[in-house]
Amino acid sequence: MKTIAIYSIKGGVGKTAAAVNLAYLCAQDGARTLLWDLDPQGAASFYYRVKAKVKGGARGLLQRNGELPGRIKATDFPNLDLLPADLSYRHMDLLLDESKKRKRAFGRLLEPLTDDYDYIFMDCAPSVTLVSENVFRAADLIISPVIPTTLSVRTLNQLSAFMEHPKLRDVRVMSFFSMVDGRRKLHREIMENLSQRRKGILRSYIPYSSDVERMGIRRAPLPEFAGRSAGGHAFRLLWREIKARIEDGGDGNRA
Amino acid sequence: MVSEGGGALRLTFYDSFDWRLHRAGLSLRLEQPSRRPAKLCCARQGTGEEDCQDVAAVPRFADDLPAGRLRTRLQQVGGIRALLPLVTLRGWRYRYAVRNEDGKMVARCYLEQWRPASRRYAGSAPVGLVRLEPLRGYEVDTAAVAELLRGEELERTGIDLLQTALELVGRVADDYSSKLDVKLQPEEDAVVAVRRLLRSQVDVMRANEAGIRHDLDSEFLHDFRVAVRRTRSALSQIKGIFAEPALAPFRDGFAWLGAVTGPKRDLDVHLLQFPEQQRLLAPGQSADLLPLRLLLEQQQAAAGAEVVAALKSARYRRLMRYWQTFLDQGGTEFDGANARQPAAGVANSRIWRVYRRVRREGRAISADSPPADLHELRKSCKKLRYLMEFFQSLYPRNKMRRAISHLKDLQENLGQYQDQTVQLANLRRHSEELAARGGEIPVPTLLAIGALMDRIAGAHQQTRAGFARRFAAFYTPANHRLFRELFHTRGPSMADQP
Ligand SMILES: Nc1ncnc2c1ncn2[C@@H]1O[C@H](COP(=O)(O)OP(=O)(O)O)[C@@H](O)[C@H]1O
Ligand SMILES: [Mg+2]
C-alpha cells in the first residue's frame, strides 16, 4: 500500500482537482484505490457525489480505532472507494491534540486497510497543523501543486523546511505546476527557472482549463467526462510520471 | 435507473471438488460475451466486490493464471485443488445503475435471463432475474430499492447467481466433505453405529473415484486413502463388533487398496513439496534439481496408471460391492460379542485404551530412542485420532475439540518427523536411481540432491529435538483430566474395560 497526500500550505492551488483526478486514474489502472477527503469543505466528496458525512464525525473516527473500513463508500467507478469528509473535521486538530498518539493517529487508522488497497490518496485542507503532521507521518509521498507565481519559491521553501524533520526524512516530496497559463511569459519563465534549480519538480503540469472548472457542474472526475480534453490529457501524463517515479523508487527528488 | 448496456452471454461457474471457494464466501465465473474477450471474475458473495481478468481459458490450477490479484486470491483459498466447472448457463444480461437524488450510484441492478447451456436441460424453462448488487456503504439504500422491487412482485431480487445456476441443474452447493460427520446416539447398538460410520467412508471413496481416474488433482486420491485408512483402522480397533471370520477378506482387501495406492500418493506428496524443496537450495542450484523432477513425474505417471488399473479391476469392484452389502444389511448374522452394547460404552473403552497406549509409548521415548519408536507412537496417535473423530458426535463439542487439538499438536510433530524421514529415504533412493543411469545424469544434479538432503536432515533433527516439548504439552495433568472426564468415567457400560 502506498499513501499519497496531496498537500499545500496554500488554498485554491488545485489540490482537490489533483486528488480527485489522480485517484480516478490510479483506479483505472486496476489498482485498488481509496480517496480520503480530509477537507471539512468536502469538495472531493462533492465531485464524487458522496454526501460529506461520516458516521460519528471526526470524534467517532478517532475514538473507535479500526472502524474506518465501515465508513468507506464505493464511488461509481471500479476499484475506487472514498472516505468522505465531514464538517466536524474542522475540529480534527483539537481532537488529535487530546488523543494519545497525537501525531500518528492517521497512520494507525489506515493500518487495517493495508491489504485492502494498493493506493490511498489524501486530499488535505490547506494548513500547517497537527492534521498536516498526521498526514505527513502517514504518507509515503507528498504531492504539492504550485501555481507559477513569484511567491511559489517561498511556498516550496516552507514545505522543504518542514520536511527536514528527522521523522519525515523518508517521505518523498514531488511538486507540479498547476493552473499554468502557457500564454503568459512570466509563467513560462518561472517554471523554467524553478525546474532547473530544484529537484522533485515534475515535468508534467496542469494547464489552466475551464474543463477543470466544469468538474463542479458534472460532478465527476475530468477524465471520465472529458478524457480527450487538454486537462484530461494533462492529468493522465501527470499520473504516468508520478507512477513511474514511485516505481523507480530512490530518493533525491526532494523539492 | 440508467442503462449501462448488456447482451448475450455464457457463464460458467467454477469451484474445487470440495467447494473451497464457496466455503470462503467466493464465487468464480467465466463470462463469455458473444463478441468480446472472455473474462474470469472472482466475486465476494453478496457484496458486488470482485476481481476480474481477461483470460483465454480457465486453467486447471490457479497457479497457471497470469500473475495478479485474481491468482493470488485463488491460490490462497485452494491452490492445490483443480478448478472444475460446476455449471454453464447461457442467456442475456443488462446492467443498470440505480442512483439517488444526487445522481450517486447506490446499487447495480441486473435484468437477466438464464438457462443451462447443456442439451440435457433443453426442455427447461429459462429463469428471469432482477438482481441487485449493493455498492459499498450504500447497503441501506439498496435494501430500500429491493423493497420497492418486491412490491412490484418481480420474480426474484437480491439473489446469488451461483445459487440460481446450481438450482437450474439440480445441484446443491457444498455437497462434498471428506470430514467425518455422522451423528450417533449414545444408546444405539454399537454395531449399528459402526456400520453407519463405515458406510460414510464408502461414500467418500465412491465420491473420489472419478477424480482419481481422470487425475484431476492430487487430493482425490488423498481423500480416498484417508477413507481407506479410517476403514482399516476401524476394522482393527473396534473389536468384537463384527464376527471375526466375516472381516478377514475385507481386512485383506483394504490393506491391498492402501498398498496399491501408496506409491502414487508418495510421489504426489514429493512433487507437491518440490517447489518448497527447491527454495531450500541456493537460487543457482535449484535448477539442478530438474532431472529429479522429470524422474518423479515419470514415476508418478506410472504409479497413477497402476491406481487407475486397480480401481478398474474386478478385485476392487468386488471388494466394494461385498463391503457395501455387508454394511447395508441389518441382520445379526455377523454380530460380534459387543455388537449390541451401547455405542457410547464401546467408544469410551476403545478410546481410553488407545489413549493410555499413546501415553505409555510417549513416556518411554527418550532423546536416544530409535526412529521406529516414534513411528509406532505416531501410528497409535493416528488410531486415537480416528477413534475420536469417529465417535465425536457422542461427546460435548467444546471439550472434544479441545482434546483433539492437544492431540493434533503432538501429531503435527510426529507427522513432520515422519515426512522428513520419508523425504530423506526417497531422495536417497532417487539419487541411486539417477546414478544407475550412468553418464546421462549431470553431476550438479547429484550434488543438488546431496545439498537438499543436508538441509532436510538438519530440519529432521530439529523436529526430533522438538518432540519432548510437544509431548510434555500433551502429557499434562489437565489434559489427562480432560481425557478421563470424557472417556473414562462416563456411562456404566464398559464393554471391555482394561
Ligand atoms: N487547472 C485548473 N484550471 C482551471 N481551474 C482550476 C484548475 N484547477 C483547479 N481549478 C479551480 O480552482 C478552484 C480551486 O481548486 P481546488 O482544486 O479546489 O484547489 P484546492 O483544493 O487546492 O483548494 C476550483 O474552483 C477549481 O475548479
Ligand atoms: Mg481542496
mmCIF file of all heavy atoms in Angstrom, chain A residues 30-32 48-51 69 72-76 79 81 117-118 219, chain B residues 4 50-51 69 99-106 108 135-138 141:
data_model
loop_
_atom_site.group_PDB
_atom_site.id
_atom_site.type_symbol
_atom_site.label_atom_id
_atom_site.label_comp_id
_atom_site.label_asym_id
_atom_site.label_seq_id
_atom_site.Cartn_x
_atom_site.Cartn_y
_atom_site.Cartn_z
ATOM 1 N N GLY A 30 -6.312 -0.219 -12.548
ATOM 2 C CA GLY A 30 -6.553 -1.518 -11.930
ATOM 3 C C GLY A 30 -6.117 -1.607 -10.482
ATOM 4 O O GLY A 30 -6.281 -2.646 -9.850
ATOM 5 N N ALA A 31 -5.550 -0.526 -9.940
ATOM 6 C CA ALA A 31 -5.110 -0.565 -8.545
ATOM 7 C C ALA A 31 -6.296 -0.248 -7.634
ATOM 8 O O ALA A 31 -7.083 0.647 -7.925
ATOM 9 C CB ALA A 31 -3.996 0.449 -8.316
ATOM 10 N N ARG A 32 -6.393 -0.995 -6.543
ATOM 11 C CA ARG A 32 -7.474 -0.705 -5.585
ATOM 12 C C ARG A 32 -7.114 0.579 -4.864
ATOM 13 O O ARG A 32 -6.049 0.687 -4.253
ATOM 14 C CB ARG A 32 -7.610 -1.851 -4.594
ATOM 15 C CG ARG A 32 -8.170 -3.115 -5.234
ATOM 16 C CD ARG A 32 -7.908 -4.316 -4.380
ATOM 17 N NE ARG A 32 -6.479 -4.431 -4.108
ATOM 18 C CZ ARG A 32 -5.966 -5.275 -3.241
ATOM 19 N NH1 ARG A 32 -6.741 -6.062 -2.551
ATOM 20 N NH2 ARG A 32 -4.659 -5.339 -3.040
ATOM 21 N N TYR A 48 -17.511 13.455 -6.256
ATOM 22 C CA TYR A 48 -17.910 12.052 -6.429
ATOM 23 C C TYR A 48 -19.356 11.794 -6.007
ATOM 24 O O TYR A 48 -19.784 10.650 -5.904
ATOM 25 C CB TYR A 48 -16.953 11.123 -5.675
ATOM 26 C CG TYR A 48 -15.682 10.870 -6.459
ATOM 27 C CD1 TYR A 48 -14.470 11.433 -6.075
ATOM 28 C CD2 TYR A 48 -15.709 10.084 -7.595
ATOM 29 C CE1 TYR A 48 -13.316 11.211 -6.808
ATOM 30 C CE2 TYR A 48 -14.563 9.855 -8.336
ATOM 31 C CZ TYR A 48 -13.371 10.418 -7.942
ATOM 32 O OH TYR A 48 -12.239 10.192 -8.678
ATOM 33 N N ARG A 49 -20.071 12.867 -5.741
ATOM 34 C CA ARG A 49 -21.499 12.779 -5.410
ATOM 35 C C ARG A 49 -21.765 12.032 -4.114
ATOM 36 O O ARG A 49 -22.863 11.480 -3.916
ATOM 37 C CB ARG A 49 -22.274 12.088 -6.539
ATOM 38 C CG ARG A 49 -22.136 12.767 -7.875
ATOM 39 C CD ARG A 49 -22.786 11.947 -8.964
ATOM 40 N NE ARG A 49 -22.528 12.553 -10.280
ATOM 41 C CZ ARG A 49 -23.491 12.932 -11.105
ATOM 42 N NH1 ARG A 49 -24.748 12.773 -10.776
ATOM 43 N NH2 ARG A 49 -23.184 13.484 -12.263
ATOM 44 N N VAL A 50 -20.762 11.964 -3.263
ATOM 45 C CA VAL A 50 -20.949 11.279 -1.983
ATOM 46 C C VAL A 50 -21.232 12.346 -0.929
ATOM 47 O O VAL A 50 -20.567 13.380 -0.890
ATOM 48 C CB VAL A 50 -19.688 10.475 -1.609
ATOM 49 C CG1 VAL A 50 -19.843 9.848 -0.229
ATOM 50 C CG2 VAL A 50 -19.432 9.390 -2.652
ATOM 51 N N LYS A 51 -22.194 12.102 -0.075
ATOM 52 C CA LYS A 51 -22.537 13.079 0.964
ATOM 53 C C LYS A 51 -21.352 13.252 1.917
ATOM 54 O O LYS A 51 -20.751 12.268 2.352
ATOM 55 C CB LYS A 51 -23.756 12.602 1.757
ATOM 56 C CG LYS A 51 -25.020 12.603 0.911
ATOM 57 C CD LYS A 51 -26.272 12.586 1.780
ATOM 58 C CE LYS A 51 -27.499 12.877 0.948
ATOM 59 N NZ LYS A 51 -27.757 11.825 -0.079
ATOM 60 N N PRO A 69 -12.948 1.122 8.110
ATOM 61 C CA PRO A 69 -13.495 0.411 6.955
ATOM 62 C C PRO A 69 -15.014 0.529 6.836
ATOM 63 O O PRO A 69 -15.550 0.603 5.737
ATOM 64 C CB PRO A 69 -13.084 -1.041 7.203
ATOM 65 C CG PRO A 69 -11.871 -0.931 8.051
ATOM 66 C CD PRO A 69 -12.057 0.279 8.908
ATOM 67 N N ILE A 72 -16.383 3.583 4.750
ATOM 68 C CA ILE A 72 -15.963 3.788 3.359
ATOM 69 C C ILE A 72 -17.143 3.622 2.400
ATOM 70 O O ILE A 72 -17.991 2.762 2.603
ATOM 71 C CB ILE A 72 -14.843 2.784 3.017
ATOM 72 C CG1 ILE A 72 -13.580 3.171 3.791
ATOM 73 C CG2 ILE A 72 -14.574 2.732 1.524
ATOM 74 C CD1 ILE A 72 -12.471 2.166 3.698
ATOM 75 N N LYS A 73 -17.180 4.446 1.373
ATOM 76 C CA LYS A 73 -18.233 4.372 0.352
ATOM 77 C C LYS A 73 -17.607 4.024 -0.997
ATOM 78 O O LYS A 73 -16.544 4.548 -1.347
ATOM 79 C CB LYS A 73 -18.922 5.736 0.200
ATOM 80 C CG LYS A 73 -19.500 6.287 1.477
ATOM 81 C CD LYS A 73 -20.872 5.722 1.696
ATOM 82 C CE LYS A 73 -21.477 6.278 2.979
ATOM 83 N NZ LYS A 73 -22.729 5.589 3.321
ATOM 84 N N ALA A 74 -18.293 3.188 -1.744
ATOM 85 C CA ALA A 74 -17.842 2.920 -3.109
ATOM 86 C C ALA A 74 -18.193 4.127 -3.970
ATOM 87 O O ALA A 74 -19.254 4.720 -3.804
ATOM 88 C CB ALA A 74 -18.539 1.682 -3.655
ATOM 89 N N THR A 75 -17.307 4.497 -4.887
ATOM 90 C CA THR A 75 -17.679 5.512 -5.872
ATOM 91 C C THR A 75 -18.385 4.798 -7.020
ATOM 92 O O THR A 75 -18.579 3.588 -6.982
ATOM 93 C CB THR A 75 -16.442 6.231 -6.433
ATOM 94 O OG1 THR A 75 -15.698 5.288 -7.213
ATOM 95 C CG2 THR A 75 -15.580 6.785 -5.313
ATOM 96 N N ASP A 76 -18.737 5.542 -8.044
ATOM 97 C CA ASP A 76 -19.396 4.913 -9.195
ATOM 98 C C ASP A 76 -18.399 4.194 -10.098
ATOM 99 O O ASP A 76 -18.783 3.613 -11.095
ATOM 100 C CB ASP A 76 -20.122 5.981 -10.034
ATOM 101 C CG ASP A 76 -21.301 6.572 -9.265
ATOM 102 O OD1 ASP A 76 -21.478 6.215 -8.086
ATOM 103 O OD2 ASP A 76 -22.038 7.387 -9.853
ATOM 104 N N ASN A 79 -12.847 -0.085 -8.634
ATOM 105 C CA ASN A 79 -11.601 -0.010 -7.849
ATOM 106 C C ASN A 79 -11.430 1.262 -7.045
ATOM 107 O O ASN A 79 -10.387 1.460 -6.416
ATOM 108 C CB ASN A 79 -10.354 -0.152 -8.737
ATOM 109 C CG ASN A 79 -10.269 -1.500 -9.378
ATOM 110 O OD1 ASN A 79 -10.667 -2.487 -8.768
ATOM 111 N ND2 ASN A 79 -9.787 -1.548 -10.595
ATOM 112 N N ASP A 81 -12.750 3.712 -4.033
ATOM 113 C CA ASP A 81 -13.614 3.991 -2.887
ATOM 114 C C ASP A 81 -13.268 5.358 -2.313
ATOM 115 O O ASP A 81 -12.211 5.915 -2.586
ATOM 116 C CB ASP A 81 -13.413 2.930 -1.804
ATOM 117 C CG ASP A 81 -13.961 1.573 -2.233
ATOM 118 O OD1 ASP A 81 -14.727 1.525 -3.209
ATOM 119 O OD2 ASP A 81 -13.605 0.570 -1.590
ATOM 120 N N TYR A 117 -6.135 -2.009 -0.012
ATOM 121 C CA TYR A 117 -5.892 -1.013 -1.050
ATOM 122 C C TYR A 117 -4.439 -1.014 -1.499
ATOM 123 O O TYR A 117 -3.535 -1.255 -0.705
ATOM 124 C CB TYR A 117 -6.260 0.394 -0.540
ATOM 125 C CG TYR A 117 -7.739 0.521 -0.295
ATOM 126 C CD1 TYR A 117 -8.261 0.412 0.990
ATOM 127 C CD2 TYR A 117 -8.620 0.693 -1.359
ATOM 128 C CE1 TYR A 117 -9.623 0.488 1.208
ATOM 129 C CE2 TYR A 117 -9.986 0.770 -1.147
ATOM 130 C CZ TYR A 117 -10.486 0.667 0.134
ATOM 131 O OH TYR A 117 -11.830 0.732 0.331
ATOM 132 N N ASP A 118 -4.253 -0.690 -2.773
ATOM 133 C CA ASP A 118 -2.899 -0.518 -3.291
ATOM 134 C C ASP A 118 -2.448 0.923 -3.119
ATOM 135 O O ASP A 118 -1.273 1.190 -2.893
ATOM 136 C CB ASP A 118 -2.861 -0.912 -4.770
ATOM 137 C CG ASP A 118 -3.311 -2.357 -4.983
ATOM 138 O OD1 ASP A 118 -2.851 -3.222 -4.211
ATOM 139 O OD2 ASP A 118 -4.119 -2.613 -5.883
ATOM 140 N N ARG A 219 -19.921 17.002 -11.713
ATOM 141 C CA ARG A 219 -19.720 16.175 -10.503
ATOM 142 C C ARG A 219 -19.132 14.816 -10.862
ATOM 143 O O ARG A 219 -19.692 13.759 -10.527
ATOM 144 C CB ARG A 219 -21.021 16.020 -9.723
ATOM 145 C CG ARG A 219 -21.528 17.348 -9.175
ATOM 146 C CD ARG A 219 -22.722 17.165 -8.266
ATOM 147 N NE ARG A 219 -22.337 16.573 -6.979
ATOM 148 C CZ ARG A 219 -23.210 16.347 -6.003
ATOM 149 N NH1 ARG A 219 -24.491 16.633 -6.165
ATOM 150 N NH2 ARG A 219 -22.818 15.837 -4.863
ATOM 151 N N GLU B 4 -26.671 0.568 -18.504
ATOM 152 C CA GLU B 4 -25.229 0.554 -18.744
ATOM 153 C C GLU B 4 -24.884 -0.514 -19.769
ATOM 154 O O GLU B 4 -23.754 -0.980 -19.827
ATOM 155 C CB GLU B 4 -24.475 0.289 -17.436
ATOM 156 C CG GLU B 4 -24.621 1.408 -16.425
ATOM 157 C CD GLU B 4 -23.649 1.247 -15.270
ATOM 158 O OE1 GLU B 4 -23.447 0.106 -14.819
ATOM 159 O OE2 GLU B 4 -23.104 2.267 -14.822
ATOM 160 N N GLU B 50 -15.529 -7.584 -6.747
ATOM 161 C CA GLU B 50 -14.927 -8.695 -7.478
ATOM 162 C C GLU B 50 -13.630 -8.330 -8.194
ATOM 163 O O GLU B 50 -13.380 -7.172 -8.497
ATOM 164 C CB GLU B 50 -15.923 -9.314 -8.456
ATOM 165 C CG GLU B 50 -16.510 -8.360 -9.468
ATOM 166 C CD GLU B 50 -17.592 -9.046 -10.302
ATOM 167 O OE1 GLU B 50 -18.234 -9.989 -9.802
ATOM 168 O OE2 GLU B 50 -17.784 -8.635 -11.446
ATOM 169 N N ASP B 51 -12.827 -9.348 -8.405
ATOM 170 C CA ASP B 51 -11.605 -9.198 -9.192
ATOM 171 C C ASP B 51 -11.828 -9.893 -10.518
ATOM 172 O O ASP B 51 -12.226 -11.055 -10.543
ATOM 173 C CB ASP B 51 -10.421 -9.879 -8.495
ATOM 174 C CG ASP B 51 -10.031 -9.150 -7.231
ATOM 175 O OD1 ASP B 51 -10.099 -7.908 -7.234
ATOM 176 O OD2 ASP B 51 -9.682 -9.815 -6.243
ATOM 177 N N ARG B 69 -4.072 -10.149 -8.858
ATOM 178 C CA ARG B 69 -4.848 -10.291 -7.633
ATOM 179 C C ARG B 69 -5.738 -11.525 -7.680
ATOM 180 O O ARG B 69 -5.915 -12.214 -6.696
ATOM 181 C CB ARG B 69 -5.703 -9.049 -7.453
ATOM 182 C CG ARG B 69 -5.796 -8.619 -6.038
ATOM 183 C CD ARG B 69 -5.959 -7.139 -5.948
ATOM 184 N NE ARG B 69 -7.109 -6.690 -6.676
ATOM 185 C CZ ARG B 69 -7.155 -5.545 -7.350
ATOM 186 N NH1 ARG B 69 -6.093 -4.784 -7.381
ATOM 187 N NH2 ARG B 69 -8.235 -5.178 -7.980
ATOM 188 N N ARG B 99 -29.517 5.189 -9.035
ATOM 189 C CA ARG B 99 -28.911 6.403 -8.476
ATOM 190 C C ARG B 99 -29.844 7.108 -7.505
ATOM 191 O O ARG B 99 -31.057 7.006 -7.617
ATOM 192 C CB ARG B 99 -28.526 7.360 -9.602
ATOM 193 C CG ARG B 99 -27.499 6.755 -10.552
ATOM 194 C CD ARG B 99 -27.072 7.744 -11.614
ATOM 195 N NE ARG B 99 -26.121 7.126 -12.526
ATOM 196 C CZ ARG B 99 -24.805 7.075 -12.304
ATOM 197 N NH1 ARG B 99 -24.300 7.612 -11.207
ATOM 198 N NH2 ARG B 99 -24.012 6.479 -13.173
ATOM 199 N N ASN B 100 -29.237 7.833 -6.572
ATOM 200 C CA ASN B 100 -30.040 8.591 -5.616
ATOM 201 C C ASN B 100 -30.233 10.028 -6.097
ATOM 202 O O ASN B 100 -29.870 10.366 -7.239
ATOM 203 C CB ASN B 100 -29.410 8.548 -4.219
ATOM 204 C CG ASN B 100 -28.070 9.270 -4.166
ATOM 205 O OD1 ASN B 100 -27.708 9.973 -5.108
ATOM 206 N ND2 ASN B 100 -27.351 9.099 -3.075
ATOM 207 N N GLU B 101 -30.767 10.888 -5.242
ATOM 208 C CA GLU B 101 -31.126 12.244 -5.676
ATOM 209 C C GLU B 101 -29.901 13.064 -6.084
ATOM 210 O O GLU B 101 -30.014 14.021 -6.852
ATOM 211 C CB GLU B 101 -31.939 12.969 -4.580
ATOM 212 C CG GLU B 101 -31.194 13.296 -3.288
ATOM 213 C CD GLU B 101 -31.078 12.089 -2.340
ATOM 214 O OE1 GLU B 101 -31.500 10.970 -2.724
ATOM 215 O OE2 GLU B 101 -30.554 12.262 -1.220
ATOM 216 N N ASP B 102 -28.710 12.672 -5.599
ATOM 217 C CA ASP B 102 -27.501 13.388 -6.016
ATOM 218 C C ASP B 102 -26.932 12.827 -7.316
ATOM 219 O O ASP B 102 -25.879 13.270 -7.775
ATOM 220 C CB ASP B 102 -26.399 13.260 -4.942
ATOM 221 C CG ASP B 102 -26.775 14.021 -3.681
ATOM 222 O OD1 ASP B 102 -27.418 15.082 -3.810
ATOM 223 O OD2 ASP B 102 -26.428 13.546 -2.585
ATOM 224 N N GLY B 103 -27.601 11.829 -7.860
ATOM 225 C CA GLY B 103 -27.057 11.181 -9.039
ATOM 226 C C GLY B 103 -25.958 10.202 -8.690
ATOM 227 O O GLY B 103 -25.242 9.715 -9.562
ATOM 228 N N LYS B 104 -25.789 9.913 -7.399
ATOM 229 C CA LYS B 104 -24.769 8.947 -6.975
ATOM 230 C C LYS B 104 -25.313 7.530 -7.137
ATOM 231 O O LYS B 104 -26.440 7.248 -6.735
ATOM 232 C CB LYS B 104 -24.423 9.186 -5.503
ATOM 233 C CG LYS B 104 -23.522 8.119 -4.888
ATOM 234 C CD LYS B 104 -22.096 8.264 -5.360
ATOM 235 C CE LYS B 104 -21.195 7.171 -4.794
ATOM 236 N NZ LYS B 104 -21.351 5.879 -5.472
ATOM 237 N N MET B 105 -24.495 6.661 -7.711
ATOM 238 C CA MET B 105 -24.924 5.281 -7.842
ATOM 239 C C MET B 105 -24.940 4.633 -6.462
ATOM 240 O O MET B 105 -23.990 4.774 -5.695
ATOM 241 C CB MET B 105 -23.954 4.519 -8.754
ATOM 242 C CG MET B 105 -24.516 3.223 -9.291
ATOM 243 S SD MET B 105 -23.259 2.174 -10.013
ATOM 244 C CE MET B 105 -22.617 3.203 -11.303
ATOM 245 N N VAL B 106 -26.011 3.956 -6.134
ATOM 246 C CA VAL B 106 -26.074 3.270 -4.839
ATOM 247 C C VAL B 106 -26.143 1.755 -5.015
ATOM 248 O O VAL B 106 -25.881 1.001 -4.081
ATOM 249 C CB VAL B 106 -27.272 3.748 -3.991
ATOM 250 C CG1 VAL B 106 -27.118 5.229 -3.643
ATOM 251 C CG2 VAL B 106 -28.591 3.511 -4.701
ATOM 252 N N ARG B 108 -26.219 -1.632 -8.255
ATOM 253 C CA ARG B 108 -26.332 -2.053 -9.637
ATOM 254 C C ARG B 108 -27.495 -3.010 -9.727
ATOM 255 O O ARG B 108 -27.713 -3.823 -8.833
ATOM 256 C CB ARG B 108 -25.056 -2.765 -10.080
ATOM 257 C CG ARG B 108 -23.932 -1.831 -10.348
ATOM 258 C CD ARG B 108 -23.099 -2.350 -11.508
ATOM 259 N NE ARG B 108 -22.302 -1.265 -12.049
ATOM 260 C CZ ARG B 108 -21.201 -0.800 -11.464
ATOM 261 N NH1 ARG B 108 -20.803 -1.331 -10.328
ATOM 262 N NH2 ARG B 108 -20.527 0.179 -12.013
ATOM 263 N N LEU B 135 -23.650 -1.203 -3.581
ATOM 264 C CA LEU B 135 -22.315 -0.632 -3.572
ATOM 265 C C LEU B 135 -21.898 -0.453 -2.120
ATOM 266 O O LEU B 135 -22.735 -0.167 -1.264
ATOM 267 C CB LEU B 135 -22.308 0.725 -4.294
ATOM 268 C CG LEU B 135 -21.694 0.699 -5.693
ATOM 269 C CD1 LEU B 135 -22.456 -0.249 -6.585
ATOM 270 C CD2 LEU B 135 -21.653 2.081 -6.299
ATOM 271 N N ARG B 136 -20.611 -0.607 -1.868
ATOM 272 C CA ARG B 136 -20.125 -0.495 -0.501
ATOM 273 C C ARG B 136 -20.570 0.818 0.129
ATOM 274 O O ARG B 136 -20.426 1.879 -0.481
ATOM 275 C CB ARG B 136 -18.604 -0.571 -0.504
ATOM 276 C CG ARG B 136 -18.011 -0.438 0.870
ATOM 277 C CD ARG B 136 -16.541 -0.720 0.836
ATOM 278 N NE ARG B 136 -16.030 -0.788 2.194
ATOM 279 C CZ ARG B 136 -14.784 -1.078 2.510
ATOM 280 N NH1 ARG B 136 -13.937 -1.348 1.558
ATOM 281 N NH2 ARG B 136 -14.401 -1.114 3.756
ATOM 282 N N GLY B 137 -21.083 0.733 1.334
ATOM 283 C CA GLY B 137 -21.504 1.938 2.033
ATOM 284 C C GLY B 137 -22.928 2.355 1.708
ATOM 285 O O GLY B 137 -23.439 3.303 2.302
ATOM 286 N N TYR B 138 -23.562 1.640 0.756
ATOM 287 C CA TYR B 138 -24.936 2.009 0.381
ATOM 288 C C TYR B 138 -25.897 0.833 0.566
ATOM 289 O O TYR B 138 -26.898 0.726 -0.134
ATOM 290 C CB TYR B 138 -24.968 2.503 -1.062
ATOM 291 C CG TYR B 138 -24.231 3.814 -1.219
ATOM 292 C CD1 TYR B 138 -22.914 3.840 -1.626
ATOM 293 C CD2 TYR B 138 -24.860 5.016 -0.913
ATOM 294 C CE1 TYR B 138 -22.220 5.035 -1.737
ATOM 295 C CE2 TYR B 138 -24.184 6.220 -1.016
ATOM 296 C CZ TYR B 138 -22.867 6.220 -1.431
ATOM 297 O OH TYR B 138 -22.192 7.405 -1.530
ATOM 298 N N ASP B 141 -29.550 1.882 1.290
ATOM 299 C CA ASP B 141 -30.287 2.339 0.110
ATOM 300 C C ASP B 141 -30.680 1.155 -0.766
ATOM 301 O O ASP B 141 -31.774 1.103 -1.314
ATOM 302 C CB ASP B 141 -29.417 3.283 -0.721
ATOM 303 C CG ASP B 141 -28.813 4.383 0.127
ATOM 304 O OD1 ASP B 141 -28.029 4.060 1.053
ATOM 305 O OD2 ASP B 141 -29.135 5.538 -0.102
#
